[in-house]
Amino acid sequence: SALEQRVATLEAQLATVMQQIQTLSACTSCSVPASTTTSAPSTPTSAPSTPTSAPSGAMPGTPSTSEIQELRELVANLSAKVQQIQNLSACTSCSVSASSTTSAPSTPTSAPSGAMPGTPSTSEIQELRELLANLSAKVANASGVPGRDGFCTITPNTTEVYIPVTRYVYRQSGSTENNCVVGGDALRGGAATATTPSMLTQAYITDTNCRWTRGMYNAPMFAYKGDTLVFWRGDDKSNNVWQFDDKKAFDECDFDRARLLAGLVDFEGLESAGKNFTLTMGNAGVYYFGSSKTGVADPDRRMYCWDSKVKPTGAVASQSLGWGRNIKLEVRVLEPTAEVMAVCPLYDPSAYGVSNGGTQVDSESVEKLKGAVAAMGRQLISYETRIQERVREQGQSGVTYVRSWGQGTDAYYTGSYASGGVVNIHNHANTHHTIGMGEFGAVLNGVQFTTRHNDYSMVEPDSTLTVAEYISSWPPKSMDIEYPDVPPAVLNAGSVDAQVVEMREWFRAFHTQDESHRNHTKYFKPVLCYLEGAWINAQEDVAEPFASERHHIDADGWNDLNEKTNFLFQNGQKNNLENLPFLPTAIRSMMDVGGETFQPNLAQWFYRITCKPLKDPLPTERMRVRNELHTQLRESTPATREQLGKTPRALFDINPQRDNWQQGKPWPKGKTTYEYLDDLMYQIPGFDGPNGNLLDQSFGTTCATYIGNEPLNTARYTRYYSMLMKDAMGRSEKKRAFNDYLFAAQTTHKRVNPLKVCTQLDPEVLKLAGQDDKDRAAMCAGFKSRDTCVGSWDQTQVSDQATGAMCSWTSRDECVYKKCWEQRWSYALPLEVIYMTPLTKWNPHNIEYYDRSQKDEYDGVTGGGRNGKTPATAYKGTRQDLFFRTPASFFRDAKNVDAADTSGGVTYVLDKNNKAQDVRASGHWILFPEIETIDGNVRQRWPVFPVHEEGNTIWKETKALEELIMGKNKKEIQAIIDETRSEAYGATLTLLTGNGHSHEIQISPSELLDLKAGKRDSVTKVSSLADGHQHFVKVNYDAANGGKWSMDWCTQSSDTDWCPSNLAPNACGQTSANVACCQDVCPDGHP
């Protein structure tokens, strides 16, 4: 019958929407677009027409008019409810109220006149009535529908949740411009389109799944955190998906500042499996996407992305070839607001053994599970604490090791905290802001981690921001450090050559620390760069910790990062780009939720490297090379401490004396407490920023400065502090941690993970406390039973920055007054002191500098195959990553031996008059290349970090033994080393400076012994690489004349055209072929 058919239809419709009932039936008002993704099946709002009375000659038992009317109402009511549910399934914003009932559409109360044949029998009516009643009950009560995983399992009808939406990004492949297609299962079949930009209203874009536009219209798509974007290509298989770094890159379609998310091969693989490329928006923010034409270079690869406003002249002439398509999309991801949150409905928690807010008692099994979870959580906390404490016992906060590239016959040949350089420092002087630093491991307050390849930028915490502004973003914002000006004496010198001569004198004054020669302190300014770490609240996304022009964390989220690092730990491989740090996670506490503590407080480790200009000059004489024998011995020839100081492997100590330090005064020896380094670190802010000012009043006492007993600003990094009261050992001056080299700073930044403590106030503290605390302590003490020990005060009612207070019954069967504090902390250690020099701003050749905002000029620096190697291929100006402006004549040496060093030698750059100038890198160096007229290399970077093993007893014993052995006999032992190391390690000869560079020649130990024994009088060797070439050299040794070295002959040519090693001495000069191989001076002037 018609009713049976209708019931069958309603059954089918109910099955498709039953899973949506829980979250959607709570809506009382619903914003639904004019055209939705998928039209709901048509359902009548009233019952089919039925007669009001039986026709003439009706059969006995025909149902009465009232029965038919009742059936009609049941059908209409059910139909209305199903229609309501289907309407709600199209909601993109949903307003929920305490009462979530929705009136059904009106239904007729009487049947139209006119009899119809085929009236059902009474038994059929009864059967249908029962069936419809059952369906109606299901719709109304959702009986048998389980609660959604993760939602409403504790407090139903109060927990608000956001149900993520899938939003389709679709580029119409037809001829009509500006098509915006609403996502759905049938993307092309029945989707609504807007054929003009004016039709894409703000509401339309906000409330639908839409947009991969064409043409000039660039209204953004709006989404909420957790939504998924589906990029669907349709028939057009030429599109890919890129994500731009920022809006500027998006506006300019700059694919050099974008990363490819899904290429053509990716799409083919997905589409062959019946899938599309999807992207879940895990974080609120603004994201920029675009499509490029693959397989071609700029500008043609931008043809799908560029609009006509930025089309280069003559590049592509017609929109039909792609220009003006504007295939790009701005997506604004918002935090879910109250308008789109839904209250979990229609869930009977008692059916699952869970309390519904206190009216029912949890089942025994659930109580046991909650207890087990809490116990396991506490055990994991204890385990993590034990690991961290074990790490603290093994050593202090400091650097542990660097990536090693080999080993050796003795342990010290393998890298420690130094390999080619300490913490793998290297030069990127060809860049404007980058400080070269590779991967290394470190410990901060017991947390062991390894970094990615750092190559950090010369920036500092943004001092222009208020505290509220600073803590509103993560990671906190930074600003460029202002570089020193060029001394007026240099600028006024006149010609480039004259400026070069004068600039050398300023560097001489800095190198020798002679202010009487030139007052250099204003133009060589110290900056302290530091390693900073903190536990942060667990989130899926991995925030890029700090700015780097060359490296970033190569992971989509924390799980992805952990999986990749664990995989590499397993097979021992390295990430080729060195972009995977090891950053641990930990359960730090069990959170109090509704009076129960079985929900873990999960945190992730965060680190960054940044810098801070120091307020006062820092004389380089305050630093000395640390005596580390393993770094002195690890190279082919052992180095004295003075020689080590001229290499990237040197680590320096800072003189601990504060006000009484004097230049030339002997270095102090013995125990220290508060040092000069503590003054420097107190200038560095924590995560509240440069304008932060906090007090630590935990446990009812206020931390004060170690010297002066003034309130201590704990928003800055400190290692020592004092208290008004003495401790159990009679001390009021304290050092942070049990036994560690630990600088810590407090913060209010909500991203930093907090810890909370509640404790009874010390009696001595209570004596000094306010009257409120004294009265409450007395009140709590007056309660003599657990039942009467009741009382609590919130944050607004307590002092000393406490978060609350309460009466608490203890295991000693007494009621005590406890105060609670919640704090967030970060930790830091100094890495290196870098002196900013006037070289960064010096530009005597007037060479143009272009930043990324000057897109055409920026690209034009290397346009047309320019590589800076010859005057004909000179760079057309400079930019951030090609920062060459220093006249080449300023330096003497052009050698470049570090594989990670990108600084280069002599480079050619066009000045403003298009004349090629020979210049060198103007960025930051470890040791500047040799400067003409200055003895030795000028050091710019001074590593000063602590070493983790220094806190270990074995290390201390070793250093004590070293002191006993070397101590006062250092000069004698050094003489012995100088005497014997040549036999143990051979000898190193140097081809002295010629044409601005030098070479080294290594004589092996066996060769040296043979020469000294008179078994041979010469060796033929290949020199080291410098200035792009090597030399083949024959050197003589005169054992009878005090071991005098001399050069027999030297040649300079390509690798395949050296002189033969068996050249007979009497053949020199005999034939023209051998004349060039018989010179006692190298062709480029080495004596």
Side-chain angles (χ1 to χ4, degrees):
S1 67
L3 287 175
E4 288 175 316
Q5 294 175 359
R6 166 166 265 165
V7 170
T9 300
L10 293 174
E11 282 272 23
Q13 294 169 358
L14 182 65
T16 63
V17 299
M18 189 63 79
Q19 293 301 318
Q20 301 170 349
I21 292 175
Q22 284 188 288
T23 55
L24 297 174
S25 64
C27 293
T28 55
S29 66
C30 177
S31 175
V32 182
S35 177
T36 57
T37 301
T38 305
S39 301
S42 175
T43 55
T45 56
S46 61
S49 175
T50 55
T52 57
S53 62
S56 173
M59 297 291 295
T62 300
S64 67
T65 303
S66 60
E67 290 177 308
I68 293 176
Q69 180 61 32
E70 180 183 356
L71 178 60
R72 181 188 301 114
E73 292 175 354
L74 286 170
V75 171
N77 182 56
L78 178 61
S79 191
K81 282 190 173 291
V82 171
Q83 181 64 59
Q84 176 195 354
I85 293 169
Q86 290 172 332
N87 288 342
L88 291 170
S89 68
C91 288
T92 55
S93 64
C94 178
S95 175
V96 181
S97 64
S99 176
S100 59
T101 57
T102 303
S103 300
S106 61
T107 56
T109 57
S110 62
S113 62
M116 294 290 292
T119 303
S121 68
T122 303
S123 60
E124 290 177 312
I125 292 295
Q126 181 62 31
E127 181 180 356
L128 291 176
R129 182 183 296 116
E130 293 174 357
L131 178 58
L132 290 174
N134 181 48
L135 288 175
S136 181
K138 284 186 177 182
V139 174
N141 302 319
S143 61
V145 181
R148 180 169 177 168
D149 289 344
F151 298 120
C152 301
T153 57
I154 304 300
T155 53
N157 300 321
T158 60
T159 302
E160 291 188 333
V161 297
Y162 172 68
I163 308 302
V165 173
T166 298
R167 303 181 181 274
Y168 283 84
V169 179
Y170 169 55
R171 208 213 108 192
Q172 177 73 24
S173 59
S175 59
T176 306
E177 295 288 335
N178 304 318
N179 283 306
C180 179
V181 180
V182 179
D185 293 332
L187 279 171
R188 301 187 66 185
T193 61
T195 56
T196 63
S198 61
M199 296 180 65
L200 296 172
T201 64
Q202 193 80 350
Y204 184 84
I205 295 169
T206 302
D207 295 335
T208 60
N209 309 330
C210 167
R211 298 246 324 119
W212 188 250
T213 67
R214 300 177 66 188
M216 297 300 296
Y217 186 73
N218 261 333
M221 171 192 278
F222 286 80
Y224 292 102
K225 189 169 76 171
D227 286 354
T228 297
L229 303 185
V230 178
F231 291 81
W232 191 77
R233 296 194 304 175
D235 296 331
D236 190 344
K237 305 300 183 184
S238 58
N239 283 307
N240 50 28
V241 180
W242 292 73
Q243 182 177 346
F244 294 102
D245 292 347
D246 49 41
K247 188 175 189 305
K248 185 172 178 54
F250 172 72
D251 291 339
E252 299 174 357
C253 294
D254 183 359
F255 290 96
D256 288 336
R257 288 181 288 155
R259 60 190 180 102
L260 183 65
L261 300 182
L264 302 186
V265 175
D266 299 316
F267 268 109
E268 289 173 4
L270 289 167
E271 290 169 349
S272 65
K275 301 177 181 179
N276 295 306
F277 173 64
T278 62
L279 192 64
T280 299
M281 312 310 291
N283 253 352
V286 183
Y287 300 82
Y288 304 96
F289 304 98
S291 176
S292 74
K293 183 174 182 181
T294 60
V296 295
D298 288 339
D300 288 346
R301 71 165 170 167
R302 309 185 190 190
M303 64 164 48
Y304 295 143
C305 177
W306 247 332
D307 61 31
S308 57
K309 290 183 178 179
V310 294
K311 183 186 72 174
T313 303
V316 178
S318 170
Q319 284 197 6
S320 65
L321 297 179
W323 292 105
R325 291 186 181 179
N326 213 25
I327 308 293
K328 56 184 180 179
L329 172 66
E330 175 184 340
V331 180
R332 299 181 184 178
V333 181
L334 311 174
E335 293 283 352
T337 58
E339 289 75 14
V340 296
M341 301 292 280
V343 174
C344 295
L346 304 178
Y347 175 50
D348 180 8
S350 61
Y352 302 93
V354 181
S355 170
N356 65 349
T359 60
Q360 299 180 16
V361 180
D362 288 353
S363 69
E364 181 180 355
S365 60
V366 172
E367 283 295 323
K368 289 181 179 179
L369 285 173
K370 291 161 71 174
V373 169
M376 286 189 294
R378 287 190 293 270
Q379 180 60 33
L380 287 172
I381 295 168
S382 176
Y383 181 71
E384 176 66 27
T385 303
R386 182 167 65 85
I387 291 176
Q388 292 181 22
E389 189 62 13
R390 181 59 176 161
V391 172
R392 295 184 187 103
E393 289 176 1
Q394 292 175 336
Q396 64 184 14
S397 293
V399 173
T400 54
Y401 52 30
V402 298
R403 183 177 291 280
S404 177
W405 305 106
Q407 50 195 68
T409 56
D410 296 290
Y412 51 76
Y413 284 117
T414 304
S416 57
Y417 61 80
S419 184
V422 293
V423 291
N424 274 336
I425 60 174
H426 49 272
N427 291 326
H428 286 308
N430 61 298
T431 66
H432 194 182
H433 304 290
T434 300
I435 307 298
M437 181 177 289
E439 304 164 281
F440 65 89
V443 169
L444 275 176
N445 196 22
V447 181
Q448 188 169 4
F449 63 101
T450 56
T451 72
R452 61 159 165 81
H453 192 119
N454 291 289
D455 283 355
Y456 63 95
S457 295
M458 188 60 68
V459 295
E460 63 174 308
D462 193 341
S463 60
T464 66
L465 301 178
T466 65
V467 173
E469 292 169 335
Y470 193 82
I471 65 175
S472 66
S473 62
W474 186 262
K477 294 181 179 178
S478 300
M479 57 188 291
D480 290 339
I481 291 177
E482 179 65 28
Y483 295 113
D485 293 328
V486 179
V490 174
L491 298 176
N492 297 332
S495 66
V496 172
D497 290 342
Q499 289 191 44
V500 166
V501 171
E502 180 61 23
M503 182 63 85
R504 287 177 185 154
E505 297 309 310
W506 286 89
F507 270 78
R508 183 196 307 280
F510 169 70
H511 185 51
T512 60
Q513 294 289 283
D514 186 356
E515 294 183 37
S516 64
H517 183 63
R518 297 287 191 280
N519 189 3
H520 57 84
T521 57
K522 182 179 178 181
Y523 305 101
F524 293 80
K525 296 182 177 181
V527 171
L528 181 57
C529 298
Y530 55 96
L531 175 69
E532 190 172 26
W535 287 108
I536 61 174
N537 296 325
Q539 292 187 4
E540 176 52 30
D541 66 297
V542 179
E544 196 60 48
F546 53 91
S548 174
E549 289 283 342
R550 298 171 54 84
H551 293 274
H552 66 278
I553 295 178
D554 185 17
D556 295 330
W558 280 94
N559 288 337
D560 186 40
L561 177 62
N562 290 333
E563 287 176 0
K564 288 178 177 177
T565 53
N566 287 337
F567 187 85
L568 294 180
F569 289 157
Q570 169 189 258
N571 63 20
Q573 291 189 32
K574 63 163 284 190
N575 175 256
N576 278 344
L577 297 178
E578 301 181 353
N579 284 336
L580 291 178
F582 168 64
L583 304 174
T585 60
I587 297 175
R588 303 191 71 217
S589 65
M590 302 300 287
M591 294 187 292
D592 187 342
V593 179
E596 297 179 303
T597 54
F598 65 92
Q599 184 170 335
N601 172 21
L602 186 63
Q604 299 154 335
W605 185 253
F606 169 90
Y607 90 97
R608 72 172 181 174
I609 298 175
T610 190
C611 305
K612 180 65 178 175
L614 298 177
K615 296 178 180 178
D616 301 311
L618 175 58
T620 59
E621 274 201 41
R622 266 194 175 273
M623 292 175 281
R624 70 175 181 184
V625 180
R626 189 176 297 181
N627 195 34
E628 302 286 19
L629 291 177
H630 76 283
T631 56
Q632 292 175 249
L633 294 177
R634 76 177 307 271
E635 295 304 309
S636 57
T637 302
T640 65
R641 193 157 71 171
E642 181 181 359
Q643 291 168 335
L644 182 66
K646 299 176 181 178
T647 73
R649 303 191 310 277
L651 180 59
F652 295 85
D653 287 319
I654 297 179
N655 193 303
Q657 291 178 306
R658 298 176 66 244
D659 300 331
N660 59 345
W661 178 83
Q662 293 180 3
Q663 190 169 353
K665 187 177 180 179
W667 198 279
K669 189 174 184 61
K671 299 178 183 178
T672 63
T673 52
Y674 192 94
E675 301 177 356
Y676 179 64
L677 178 61
D678 293 279
D679 287 332
L680 301 183
M681 290 296 290
Y682 195 51
Q683 299 179 36
I684 295 175
F687 288 128
D688 264 29
N691 296 310
N693 195 336
L694 296 173
L695 295 177
D696 180 4
Q697 296 179 313
S698 55
F699 302 101
T701 59
T702 301
C703 289
T705 56
Y706 190 83
I707 298 174
N709 206 29
E710 299 292 332
L712 180 68
N713 181 5
T714 55
R716 297 182 174 272
Y717 283 104
T718 57
R719 183 171 50 167
Y720 289 93
Y721 64 98
S722 66
M723 307 290 275
L724 292 178
M725 292 186 307
K726 296 183 183 298
D727 60 19
M729 297 296 290
R731 297 185 179 92
S732 58
E733 290 81 18
K734 313 290 178 65
K735 182 185 177 186
R736 294 198 185 278
F738 192 81
N739 186 359
D740 197 0
Y741 184 106
L742 179 65
F743 290 91
Q746 194 178 356
T747 180
T748 59
H749 203 300
K750 297 301 182 184
R751 188 68 191 272
V752 178
N753 189 263
L755 285 182
K756 182 178 180 180
V757 66
C758 295
T759 183
Q760 182 181 3
L761 294 182
D762 182 274
E764 294 301 317
V765 173
L766 192 59
K767 289 179 182 179
L768 302 175
Q771 192 60 44
D772 285 344
D773 287 329
K774 294 177 181 178
D775 292 343
R776 292 165 185 166
M779 181 188 75
C780 293
F783 300 134
K784 301 304 179 183
S785 68
R786 184 187 300 272
D787 293 338
T788 60
C789 184
V790 177
S792 63
W793 298 267
D794 62 28
Q795 186 170 359
T796 63
Q797 298 171 299
V798 292
S799 59
D800 303 328
Q801 297 184 335
T803 55
M806 60 185 169
C807 293
S808 176
W809 191 257
T810 71
S811 58
R812 301 186 302 274
D813 289 333
E814 59 181 355
C815 187
V816 301
Y817 175 60
K818 289 185 177 181
K819 292 184 75 172
C820 302
W821 287 269
E822 183 180 83
Q823 293 184 344
R824 295 170 165 86
W825 288 83
S826 60
Y827 314 100
L829 56 83
L831 271 184
E832 60 180 330
V833 175
I834 303 177
Y835 287 87
M836 301 293 93
T837 77
L839 218 59
T840 308
K841 285 189 174 182
W842 188 35
N843 186 17
H845 286 303
N846 291 319
I847 295 172
E848 290 282 7
Y849 178 85
Y850 303 109
D851 60 34
R852 293 186 185 275
S853 65
Q854 300 166 286
K855 178 60 180 172
D856 293 339
E857 294 85 353
Y858 188 94
D859 293 341
V861 171
T862 56
R866 298 179 181 276
N867 57 23
K869 293 183 178 180
T870 67
T873 59
Y875 292 126
K876 191 175 183 181
T878 64
R879 63 190 194 191
Q880 193 280 331
D881 60 334
L882 296 171
F883 192 52
F884 299 96
R885 300 196 306 191
T886 304
S889 59
F890 180 73
F891 296 115
R892 174 190 299 154
D893 195 349
K895 63 183 177 181
N896 174 14
V897 296
D898 188 344
D901 192 327
T902 61
S903 305
V906 174
T907 303
Y908 295 92
V909 181
L910 298 180
D911 61 19
K912 289 184 177 180
N913 297 320
N914 286 326
K915 180 181 178 181
Q917 303 290 349
D918 53 334
V919 290
R920 296 290 301 276
S922 300
H924 309 292
W925 301 79
I926 303 168
L927 293 146
F928 284 103
E930 291 186 12
I931 299 172
E932 200 70 50
T933 74
I934 296 179
D935 183 23
N937 297 87
V938 178
R939 178 176 279 274
Q940 185 176 14
R941 296 173 61 183
W942 302 70
V944 294
F945 56 83
V947 176
H948 171 61
E949 283 79 6
E950 287 179 296
N952 188 288
T953 302
I954 298 174
W955 182 281
K956 296 172 184 178
E957 283 287 313
T958 303
K959 283 296 181 182
L961 180 62
E962 176 186 304
E963 181 69 20
L964 285 174
I965 293 175
M966 299 187 67
K968 298 179 181 179
N969 303 316
K970 286 182 180 178
K971 290 185 179 180
E972 295 178 20
I973 292 175
Q974 190 63 57
I976 295 173
I977 291 175
D978 291 340
E979 178 68 24
T980 61
R981 69 177 177 174
S982 62
E983 296 183 9
Y985 301 98
T988 301
L989 307 179
T990 302
L991 293 178
L992 299 177
T993 300
N995 196 25
H997 64 279
S998 60
H999 301 265
E1000 290 184 349
I1001 300 171
Q1002 187 65 41
I1003 310 298
S1004 71
S1006 61
E1007 290 172 332
L1008 184 59
L1009 288 174
D1010 287 347
L1011 289 168
K1012 288 187 174 183
K1015 295 181 180 181
R1016 59 194 302 178
D1017 60 3
S1018 65
V1019 290
T1020 304
K1021 306 294 290 184
V1022 179
S1023 75
S1024 63
L1025 177 69
D1027 201 27
H1029 67 271
Q1030 293 173 295
H1031 293 283
F1032 203 85
V1033 183
K1034 181 179 179 181
V1035 293
N1036 299 325
Y1037 182 80
D1038 189 352
N1041 195 20
K1044 182 178 180 180
W1045 296 92
S1046 63
M1047 184 163 58
D1048 195 351
W1049 50 261
C1050 174
T1051 185
Q1052 172 187 336
S1053 59
S1054 65
D1055 293 354
T1056 59
D1057 198 23
W1058 291 328
C1059 289
S1061 59
N1062 60 352
L1063 179 68
N1066 59 4
C1068 285
Q1070 301 301 312
T1071 64
S1072 59
N1074 291 331
V1075 169
C1077 294
C1078 300
Q1079 307 295 322
D1080 60 359
V1081 176
C1082 297
D1084 56 352
H1086 297 294

